[in-house]
Amino acid sequence: MPDGKISATRDRESSGAVAGGYAVEVTDLTVTYGSTTVIDGLNLQVPTGAVVALTGENGVGKSTLLRCVTGLQQASGGAVTVFGEPPESGPVFWRQVATTVESPTWYHGLTVREHLDLVRVANGEDPADGRIDEVCALLGITGLADSLPITLSSGQRQRFLLAATFVRPSRLLVLDEPEQRLDTAAKRALAAHLRDYLAGGGTLLMASHDERFWHDVGADEVGLRRAED
Amino acid sequence: MTTTHAPAHTPAAPADVRRRLRRMRVAAVGRVDPSSVYCVLLAIVMAVVLFGRPLGVVVWPADAAGLSVPVLVGAGLVLLAFLGVLRRLGPVVVSRADATWLLPAPVPRRTLLTPALLLTALSATVVGGLVGLAVAGRAAERPVTSAVVVAAVAGGATIGLLLALLAVHAQTRPRSGRAVDLIAGIAAAALVAVAVHERLTGGYAPPGDVLPPASVILVAAGVALPLVLAAVVSVWWRLDSWPTHRIAETSAATGSYADAVFAIEPSFISAQSSRRYWRHRTGIRTSRLLRDRRVPPLVAQDLLQVRRKPGRLLWLVGTATAPAVVADGPVWLLIGIVLVGALAAASVTGEATHSDASNPAALRLLGLTFRQVYAQRLVVPAGIAALWGAIALGAAQATDALSGPWWALGLAAGPAAAVAALYRAKISANSLGHIFIDTPAGAFPSGLLLWLVNGVDVVAVLGLPMVIALVTERAPEHLSWSSVLVQAMLSVAGCLVLLLRRKTARIVGV
């Protein structure tokens, strides 16, 4: 980031913005891969309850930034805090943050529904309270309950992974191109669900290439550019 | 801009394709030069000089000891293992590059697949012939007539080719393939059971006429072999109509095996095999076990895994009889079989741990710490390994080679094996070590060697009371309950060390 100071998002009147503190604060973040600098001195602040869409061409560092926010990647310089604390690998952090930044994974031998039950039970929630049915209906995967994830198409797998992320409680969602591989109707349903999540007090940081989608979600755009531009 | 043309009405001529393939291969790897041929021939000659005599004795011993149950069981198991290898490898496959570039192209399928079919038929002939010869070498009175040798080789080769045809048939029909795998597994278990029964009843010779006379075998093989060869030719003729997806799928699997060999990373093979199994697994209905929350979630997951792979349990029951077979043999063999067997039993549910270790994304979604994961993932493996140990040492006890509460010792060693299996599941060969060991044949990464013993070392340490008992307390000595108690305490200690490390309570993952 040559200007180095992409600062915050627009204040969101409805969210109470900074009054609730920052869900994510990135200060002077620098990430290099070998001799290539991908992110150079980036500043970003995401108020609690806000929704931010990172945009920009391939390779500008959107996924890298999301990985740094979730603590899955060590930055070369600068600092990241999530709800005032540095991202860490402990259960306290991962019970607040849900992400689809990592490469998708699942357990062989468990059906789609059993995965969702597992996520719900492991997070101390009731798998029979209707939440799973609601999310499955929203994402159009109700009929896939008995399928094994390995047999799903790429679009169905994306819906399944989003469902697994949505059925667990979280305060911050970090999503990497959630609209990827989804058809138009599914994108609309996803946008509606994310709006509900925000209305319930959640915060959303995502990377997206679909302007209409992040407009539908009501996100503030933060455009990233190549470091050497 | 991409242009479009009408596709060619006639496929490329086979001769052109072969010429083109030859050119591509020469361009990629160069021509075969005389020094390479010399090196290969020299290696073959050296292998024959070094291993020819001991292997020759295995196939054709100096004296015929007479036909015995272990000989027939051994021959049957070798043939079933060969069938298993053919099923895993394809057997009719092309290289991954050919699968990508040539399989979807309008080139004759037969041209591409002939080498694989030939190799399959040739290896089946050699393996079958050698097995036939090995059986004849133990059964035939000396001096042996040439008719006996020819009958043995021809009979064995016919059986080998029949198995190859079976594997080829199963490759194109998944339902038949599953049936073949199931029947082969049952047959192997039955053979092991026969060997154990023979061992427990003090050994008996099979009836003298269990094998027909050489002249009958010769006539039968003389009739069957041409028919089988005709069937192979018929398969070759129909290669053009083979479905593309079957060849592509098996070629991808074989490519992964090649990757595993090339990268010396055996976990590639199990990962590929697992993906293949679950992709074709049908008839699964969502269970309420997780939803009902009667057991911890990862314990429920392991129970579902075990229930959905029942074949593995059959194998474990079969292997649990192995210690009884070798109970009178050298003690190191008995110890090795007990330790490795218990580790294998506890590894039945290791797939999920291995998957979490290579990508902990799912565990982050679950928000579970090391300690929670370990505590839950120890339960089912400990139970299975304990049952395996009880059956294995109980069966060995039934041969009178052991005396005392050995079944309880096996039971007590279960959790120790579960801890070892957890360590083993977490680690791949490449993550173990990149230190290269220099050998006369070139540098060799240490990871594979460490991977081979990984887990065995842990079970050997945590199972030390059992090992010591096997060395010092075999019949007529009576195993004391104090040994069982010490083993149980060490097993519990192993679990506690794993669970009570400070790091395990704080970090999400494995």
Side-chain angles (χ1 to χ4, degrees), chain A residues 2 7 19 44 59 61 65 79 84 91 97 145 157 171 195-196 198 200 212:
Chain A
S7 183
L44 173 71
L65 174 56
V97 180
R157 215 172 272 172
R171 292 176 64 199
R195 284 197 301 272
D196 287 347
L198 294 162
R212 182 166 179 184

Side-chain angles (χ1 to χ4, degrees), chain A residues 15-64:
Chain A
S15 65
V18 186
Y22 291 112
V24 177
E25 268 190 291
V26 176
T27 313
D28 211 18
L29 185 76
T30 301
V31 178
T32 57
Y33 292 120
S35 57
T36 307
T37 301
V38 180
I39 297 175
D40 186 11
L42 172 73
N43 289 288
L44 173 71
Q45 292 168 325
V46 182
T48 301
V51 50
V52 169
L54 302 174
T55 62
E57 62 186 87
N58 296 131
V60 293
K62 299 186 295 297
S63 299
T64 301

Side-chain angles (χ1 to χ4, degrees), chain B residues 292-313:
Chain B
D292 290 344
R293 292 188 283 173
R294 292 203 183 108
V295 288
L298 299 186
V299 176
Q301 182 195 3
D302 280 352
L303 287 172
L304 288 172
Q305 288 277 350
V306 172
R307 196 171 86 186
R308 288 170 182 170
K309 275 197 167 180
R312 281 192 180 183
L313 290 181

Side-chain angles (χ1 to χ4, degrees), chain A residues 2 13 25 68 90 107 114 123 133 142 153 155-157 167 172 176 186 214 216 227:
Chain A
E13 290 169 20
E25 268 190 291
C68 289
Y107 294 116
E114 284 163 354
N123 282 283
D133 296 328
T142 305
S153 74
Q156 290 171 329
R157 215 172 272 172
V167 295
L172 170 66
D176 194 1
W214 57 257
D216 277 357

